Amino acid sequence: MNSYVKWIFVVLLICSLTAFVEKDKPTGGLSEGDVAPDFKIESASNGQPAFKLGNLKGKYVLLSFWASYDAQSRMQNVSLSNVLRSASRNDNVEMVSVSFDEYQSIFKETVRKDQIVTPTCFVETKGESSGLFKKYRLGRGFTNYLLDENGVIIAKNISAAELSAYLN
């Protein structure tokens, strides 16, 4: 009887540890080959119309999700933006940058500091509780997707070097 109690305790301990480890793993989000869900987002600039991803069908799209409080996604967003800005023939790729900062003032200051120059830079002030965050199943951590002209994901978490190689 005593040995059964020990084994039950060991099994319970292992189960609780594996549940804890699984909890910290980032979720996968969308994968290559998936069609990127369409979305509509209001512009951060007054007077500009709302943006709809579906309006970019026929062009390659670099879709970058980030937040000012997430240093890694912020640096990645800046480096991708710089690659597109410096590329000689970037008219085939449109960058759509979406921040999940909850305050527009923080978003605007970050864009200014990071010198992000793209007309398609947006903020989703509902943050991680927004429908867009859930639609792309971003979970823990942010990501970027390269979409082909039909809106199909052809690359995920593309680096600045990989994007540069793709453009050349």
Side-chain angles (χ1 to χ4, degrees), residues 41 64-69 73 77 96-104 106-108 110-111 116 120-128 130 132-133 142:
I41 191 166
S64 177
F65 296 112
W66 61 282
S68 63
Y69 56 82
S73 70
N77 189 58
V96 177
S97 175
V98 179
S99 166
F100 288 98
D101 288 308
E102 294 183 7
Y103 298 100
Q104 204 164 70
I106 293 173
F107 162 75
K108 286 182 177 181
T110 303
V111 168
I116 300 169
T120 51
C121 190
F122 305 96
V123 62
E124 176 54 80
T125 55
K126 292 180 183 167
E128 295 182 18
S130 74
L132 180 58
F133 194 89
F142 300 95

Side-chain angles (χ1 to χ4, degrees), residues 85-148:
R85 195 174 353 166
S86 65
S88 58
R89 55 177 197 95
N90 71 341
D91 57 332
N92 191 33
V93 179
E94 182 82 33
M95 182 170 183
V96 177
S97 175
V98 179
S99 166
F100 288 98
D101 288 308
E102 294 183 7
Y103 298 100
Q104 204 164 70
S105 57
I106 293 173
F107 162 75
K108 286 182 177 181
E109 181 63 15
T110 303
V111 168
R112 186 189 68 73
K113 277 184 181 175
D114 294 350
Q115 300 177 347
I116 300 169
V117 182
T118 175
T120 51
C121 190
F122 305 96
V123 62
E124 176 54 80
T125 55
K126 292 180 183 167
E128 295 182 18
S129 62
S130 74
L132 180 58
F133 194 89
K134 292 172 184 165
K135 187 182 279 191
Y136 275 82
R137 300 191 310 258
L138 295 174
R140 294 173 182 224
F142 300 95
T143 191
N144 66 63
Y145 299 101
L146 183 61
L147 314 178
D148 70 8

Side-chain angles (χ1 to χ4, degrees), residues 56-68:
L56 293 178
K57 288 266 178 166
K59 289 188 94 172
Y60 281 76
V61 177
L62 178 62
L63 187 55
S64 177
F65 296 112
W66 61 282
S68 63

Side-chain angles (χ1 to χ4, degrees), residues 18-36:
T18 56
F20 182 74
V21 170
E22 291 293 315
K23 184 177 153 188
D24 286 339
K25 281 187 179 178
T27 59
L30 301 176
S31 302
E32 291 179 23
D34 291 343
V35 174

